Amino acid sequence: MKKNHSYCGIIEKYREYLPVTKKTPVITLNEGNTPLIYAPALSKLVGKGAEVYLKYEGLNPTGSFKDRGMTMAISKACEEGAKAVMCASTGNTSASAAAYAAKAKLKCIVLIPSGAIALGKLSQALIHGAKVLAIDGNFDKALELAREITRRYSITLVNSLNPFRIEGQKTASFEICDYLGTAPDFQVMPVGNAGNITAYWKGYKEYKSIGRISALPKMLGFQAEGAAPIVKGHPIKDPHTIATAIKIGNPASWTQAEAARDESNGLIDMVSDKQILDAYKLLAQIEGVFVEPASAASVAGLLKLSKKGYFKAKAKITCILTGHGLKDPDRAIASINKPKIIKPDLKTILKEIGY
Ligand SMILES: *Cc1c(COP(=O)(O)O)cnc(C)c1O
């Protein structure tokens, strides 16, 4: 492989922890290595000397953490001689699959719930040349169909049911530990299909088992109130939330998410759309970090728990910010007052800005 940069993506960086061999063709867009940003204003809001860090996964090549899993899934699909890959998606999986499949010269087929994915994500799947089919049904139905089709035909499923997705995504917990020098005390994250919480927990446990960290974090997952099957203990037939990336009624990795919760002594709780949108705006305005609504569920959860006095003093907390705000610009514009239209003269502008 031609290497122009010292950083070449998560497979090269964490090769020894991943199921790859010299024969695996590495399909990468240099994903991973995302910043862990200290959040002073949020830390202050949480209080009690808390240190809050933001793992800004929106800075991956296609704008979400899905790239970590996709570099593995697509590389392994190539190794196994696949010609086509398929996924069901609330948006980001399709954006990522389409990009990595384009690089690997694989055919990519995407099933999306019609009318329910953010504009930025749809634009990505389309521009990378995937065959995008919008079904008249929700994500859970799309996934059921994708599973059925990939069982019957030689098309590789690249949803997080694909174990290589989880392997790639676990590298985010390695990065957090490498950066902090320890594991955080708490990790807060959104939960949709529950692959990511499964992956992080696997990563933390692996780092502990080889002595890279001495303690494990408590895993704190948050679902949206209208799409909270794990919290409610049963599948939700018609999930609803503005956070489309976690609008999932029957998570594929349900039991693994519960295991992460229980083994870590953590919790899986829910936040309302209002709490999500408030956190979404707050994060952009006090920390300068723009995320998509689903990602803000982590910060909404952080604030919900801190109000209850959940965190011990001086807690080290990471919030996983799963996707970039530009994925869903419609939501940002709908959440904030539109710019005022004014006359093009100096006086008017100065008056408006109070000078
Ligand atoms: C996929 C996704 C999630 C949910 O992750 P799961 O692994 O499905 O739980 C959350 N936020 C964003 C932005 C996503 O793309």
Side-chain angles (χ1 to χ4, degrees):
M1 189 180 57
K2 192 169 169 187
K3 288 183 188 172
N4 300 312
H5 308 281
S6 53
Y7 182 80
C8 298
I10 58 126
I11 295 181
E12 292 306 341
K13 176 77 199 269
Y14 293 110
R15 178 174 276 280
E16 64 197 287
Y17 308 111
L18 295 170
V20 290
T21 66
K22 285 201 186 87
K23 282 195 218 118
T24 313
V26 176
I27 309 297
T28 181
L29 294 167
N30 290 16
E31 60 296 311
N33 197 24
T34 57
L36 189 67
I37 305 167
Y38 177 61
L42 265 183
S43 300
K44 204 163 161 206
L45 269 182
V46 171
K48 293 202 286 186
E51 274 174 46
V52 178
Y53 295 86
L54 307 170
K55 182 65 170 161
Y56 196 14
E57 288 288 278
L59 293 189
N60 275 295
T62 77
S64 85
F65 73 83
K66 300 298 199 299
D67 294 343
R68 292 179 186 276
M70 209 53 75
T71 183
M72 277 297 298
I74 298 290
S75 297
K76 294 302 282 190
C78 287
E79 183 178 352
E80 288 156 10
K83 294 283 176 280
V85 297
M86 184 173 199
C87 65
S89 180
T90 60
N92 282 330
T93 299
S94 67
S96 188
Y100 284 82
K103 185 145 190 188
K105 299 188 171 64
L106 293 177
K107 186 179 164 87
C108 177
I109 308 140
V110 165
L111 295 184
I112 56 169
S114 172
I117 89 167
L119 195 64
K121 305 175 188 181
L122 181 60
S123 73
Q124 290 176 288
L126 292 171
I127 200 72
H128 289 302
K131 174 80 180 169
V132 179
L133 299 169
I135 67 154
D136 187 12
N138 62 23
F139 169 83
D140 302 287
K141 185 68 195 171
L143 181 57
E144 193 185 305
L145 291 164
R147 291 177 81 163
E148 180 65 25
I149 292 165
T150 52
R151 241 195 317 265
R152 290 200 201 173
Y153 297 88
S154 77
I155 305 174
T156 304
L157 184 71
V158 293
N159 278 100
S160 56
L161 287 157
N162 179 321
F164 299 121
R165 279 276 312 274
I166 304 297
E167 290 297 318
Q169 285 170 217
K170 79 185 179 189
T171 59
S173 33
F174 297 167
E175 287 178 14
I176 291 171
C177 299
D178 289 348
Y179 182 90
L180 292 175
T182 72
D185 300 309
F186 301 91
Q187 171 159 310
V188 199
M189 63 192 300
V191 175
N193 215 22
N196 211 28
I197 191 169
T198 303
Y200 270 97
W201 185 236
K202 185 167 197 286
Y204 284 123
K205 284 195 296 187
E206 286 183 15
Y207 248 29
K208 175 138 190 295
S209 75
I210 57 165
R212 292 292 296 261
I213 52 174
S214 55
L216 292 165
K218 289 189 164 58
M219 302 294 284
L220 313 174
F222 282 87
Q223 302 195 293
E225 233 168 56
I230 300 176
V231 181
K232 298 195 168 151
H234 58 80
I236 308 293
K237 256 224 161 71
D238 188 18
H240 58 89
T241 167
I242 51 103
T244 50
I246 53 171
K247 189 176 158 189
I248 291 173
N250 192 13
S253 301
W254 188 318
T255 45
Q256 294 93 319
E258 287 183 336
R261 175 195 66 192
D262 299 341
E263 289 168 27
S264 75
N265 235 328
L267 55 83
I268 295 179
D269 194 357
M270 59 189 176
V271 282
S272 67
D273 278 6
K274 175 162 189 321
Q275 288 171 312
I276 290 173
L277 284 175
D278 287 348
Y280 169 72
K281 286 185 265 187
L282 184 79
L283 194 54
Q285 295 177 357
I286 71 172
E287 294 293 353
V289 177
F290 186 26
V291 301
E292 63 168 285
S295 311
S298 62
V299 174
L302 169 79
L303 296 175
K304 179 177 178 179
L305 293 178
S306 80
K307 276 187 200 120
K308 285 192 198 162
Y310 174 84
F311 297 106
K312 62 177 188 185
K314 298 205 164 98
K316 250 192 194 116
I317 306 165
T318 50
C319 287
I320 310 303
L321 304 180
T322 46
H324 202 287
L326 290 173
K327 292 276 192 174
D328 195 357
D330 294 337
R331 179 57 60 188
I333 290 167
S335 308
I336 304 286
N337 293 332
K338 298 236 167 21
K340 192 167 171 183
I341 298 169
I342 55 160
K343 274 193 286 186
D345 72 55
L346 202 67
K347 252 199 185 140
T348 318
I349 295 173
L350 291 173
K351 188 163 168 250
E352 284 292 337
I353 62 178
Y355 279 80

